[in-house]
Amino acid sequence: MREILVAATVSLLISMLGTPLAIRLFSRRGYGQSIREEGPSGHHDKRGTPTMGGTVFVIASLIGFACAHLYSFTPPTASAVLVLFLMTGLGAVGFLDDFIKIYKQRSLGLRSGAKALGQLIVGAVFAVLVTRFPNAYQITPAETRLSFLRDFGPSIGIVVFTVWVLVMIVGFSNAVNLTDGLDGLASGATGVVLASYVLIGNWQLRNSCTTQLSPNCYWVRDPLDLAVVAAAVLGGLVGFLWWNAPPAKIFMGDTGSLALGGVLAGLAITTRTQLLLIILAGMCVLITMSVIIQVGFFKMTGKRVFRMAPLQHHFELAGWAETTIVVRFWLIAALCAATGLGLFYVEWTPIL
């Protein structure tokens, strides 16, 4: 368990100390955020705030994970490497999107088709590899089955499973991206989910079928290393949030939001909790649904359900202070994560 603490501590320190360096570097180079003209008027004051801050906590997470394995003198596992690949690959797509915004001084970076293609390429590589690399017990990082608290039902086949994994990856990376609209909102909302996966990985390790066969044991390939990944990313995110809290001195940009969405999807797939992630990350799902409802309703009727989508901007236009929205949304995110964890542990509750 010490590897979890090492990963989180190293990542936290690097992110905490490295973010102000990134703020100064990006500010000198003019890497400031462009603001959409049609957005809330209060956001115009944020124009020029350094962006691409997600680069810092992605790098911090990778270093924190590496230090944990140097500490334990163990090689990284296939499951953890694949999740980190997914995070880094999607972060690279986001970095390119952010850089184009900065270079061309506009609020739109990559064209939607190019951005989706980048996400699909990275996701497809992950989807193909995640069903390979069996360990000594012939357990692979993922099976071609759906999962909630664990895998259930028959195999859906490699083709359908690949499509499902791509839907998860693109869906959650875009969900976190939509959540990243107010200072600290996405950091806090995803942080509680990462904390949940630290607990889930630890619990799966303690009840692994490779050490004790029981009706509720888990056939998860690398639960401890997945908890280390979650802890490393969480530590980096907390260090970044110190500087991203309202009023933010730096934004994570698409670099950070796509990377975070990727790591959440990757953890859900490799811990066999795919559908549970919808509850754990319920805040991000709710915000995404607000956009879908707004667009769909407007196309059908020409009218809007919300004053503006995503949902957080609706409350801004309703007169709520930004910090009020962020804290209340954090509370909702925490309740969603607590509900998901409660469901995860409920099957271990004795039936009277």
Side-chain angles (χ1 to χ4, degrees), residues 74-87:
T74 57
T77 61
S79 300
V81 170
L82 286 171
V83 174
L84 291 173
F85 160 77
L86 183 60
M87 177 186 73

Side-chain angles (χ1 to χ4, degrees), residues 325-349:
I325 299 169
V326 170
V327 171
R328 287 178 178 173
F329 276 36
W330 280 355
L331 292 174
I332 296 172
L335 288 172
C336 290
T339 301
L341 279 176
L343 289 172
F344 179 76
Y345 286 114
V346 74
E347 67 174 343
W348 288 84
T349 302

Side-chain angles (χ1 to χ4, degrees), residues 58 62 65 77-93 118-130 133 166 169 229 233 258-259 262-263 266:
V58 169
L62 295 174
F65 177 80
T77 61
S79 300
V81 170
L82 286 171
V83 174
L84 291 173
F85 160 77
L86 183 60
M87 177 186 73
T88 308
L90 290 178
V93 174
Q119 291 172 293
L120 288 172
I121 290 173
V122 175
V125 174
F126 174 84
V128 169
L129 296 179
V130 80
F133 307 108
L166 289 175
I169 291 170
V229 169
V233 181
L258 294 187
V263 79

Side-chain angles (χ1 to χ4, degrees), residues 217-233:
C217 66
Y218 297 97
W219 291 103
V220 176
R221 190 188 191 281
D222 309 298
L224 174 59
D225 223 16
L226 292 172
V228 171
V229 169
V233 181

Side-chain angles (χ1 to χ4, degrees), residues 94-108:
F95 181 88
L96 183 58
D97 185 52
D98 287 333
F99 188 80
I100 291 174
K101 291 176 187 176
I102 294 165
Y103 182 75
K104 296 192 174 182
Q105 287 298 297
R106 65 187 192 190
S107 60
L108 296 176

